[in-house]
Amino acid sequence: TGSCSANVGGLDITFHGDVIDSILNLFKSAISDYVKGQINGILCNEIKDLVNSQANALLKQIPTSVEITDGFNIDYSLTNNPTVSSSAAAVGMLGEVWYTGHHADPAIPAAQPMAAISNTNGKMFCAELEAESVIGSAGYAAQVSGIMHLTVNGAILSAAGLSTSYLNCSCPGTGQCIGGFIPQIANSTCTNGIVSIELVSSMAPTAHVNSTGAFLSFAGTMDFKGNNPGQSPTELFTVAVTLSAVIPADLHFSGWKISGSVHVTRAGLTVQSSAIGNVDQAGLEQLWQIVLLAVVEGELNSVTNAGIALPAIPDFTVVSPVLSFGDRSLLVCFDGKYTGPLIQQYNLKA
């Protein structure tokens, strides 16, 4: 439902000819007002017909499912009818991330109803997503896909710009290795080998979103194993891990993808079990700060930097898009230029 008002700013009518035309000229102001009123009604009817016949067809061309990466997709189905004001058009979108074979899983966090968009940031078009369910569904998809499992080895450290020697079981004279941070490792059977660390998520990450950013929570375990040359790996100890992280509100566009950064703000490390006696807690914290924090942040940022693609709008060029977080929401607003067949069909100006 909606309303239409049109206004013909000026209309000059002059009658030429005999006496009756001179008489009609006396009343041309009233006649002009009447004609303008009729034209206004015709304009609104034509505009409504154009919108009803063409806009829905245009909306149907916008893809509702976009592939993020292999096996991961995002559902951009509309959650309400588009609303149009004198200054902007706005719509709610689902933004549910799903992994192949798990599109209908009941455990996927459901989007909650959102308040009407009140601030369009001065743009012509806005799309609003319930950001907590977007992030929650992405976390669930990652969990069921099996990618929430990271083996920290020499290749991972090199990719993070760190020395592979940090994984040495012992480092006499320098102390800059895992055996130096945690002496119990150097004193164990792992003396001349290296340590491998398996990080495994135990639950799908959750999120809370407000105007300053998205605040994430993770939980899992770190399993430490000693690897001496020519021997089978030996269990050293297992640590329960809880992480808090934030995606700041300074999101940006990379093409037509939403990108951002992740910062880990807190890590809780608790030794669950140990085969090498009491694990030095201070050394464990030091290992996290010097080595593991950079690795974990790097892995998280590889995802957020890659970005999430928004649905392409046929024959539409997006101009000056802006992003903003709100209470549980992510708002995407933009101007644009339509260059489709309606331009030629109705002789419109692009």
Side-chain angles (χ1 to χ4, degrees), residues 256-286:
W256 191 222
K257 291 183 177 181
I258 300 174
S259 302
S261 58
V262 182
H263 305 290
V264 176
T265 57
R266 189 191 67 83
L269 309 174
T270 304
V271 177
Q272 280 187 328
S273 61
S274 173
I276 58 174
N278 292 329
V279 175
D280 186 86
Q281 184 67 31
L284 186 59
E285 301 282 351
Q286 189 178 20

Side-chain angles (χ1 to χ4, degrees), residues 18-80:
D18 53 23
V19 175
I20 189 64
D21 296 325
S22 298
I23 295 173
L24 287 174
N25 276 322
L26 297 176
F27 301 98
K28 69 177 184 178
S29 177
I31 295 172
S32 176
D33 289 342
Y34 172 79
V35 173
K36 283 197 293 184
Q38 296 302 307
I39 292 175
N40 290 343
I42 292 170
L43 285 174
C44 278
N45 288 334
E46 288 297 317
I47 290 170
K48 288 178 181 177
D49 288 343
L50 175 61
V51 170
N52 289 334
S53 64
Q54 301 296 332
N56 285 330
L58 183 62
L59 283 174
K60 289 179 181 178
Q61 295 180 52
I62 301 175
T64 57
S65 182
V66 176
E67 185 178 39
I68 302 172
T69 187
D70 293 342
F72 289 85
N73 303 270
I74 185 165
D75 185 343
Y76 281 120
S77 299
L78 302 187
T79 57
N80 54 33

Side-chain angles (χ1 to χ4, degrees), residues 182 184-185 223-224 235-239 271-280:
I182 304 172
Q184 292 82 2
I185 293 177
D223 191 25
F224 292 73
E235 295 286 345
L236 298 175
F237 57 93
T238 300
V239 176
V271 177
Q272 280 187 328
S273 61
S274 173
I276 58 174
N278 292 329
V279 175
D280 186 86

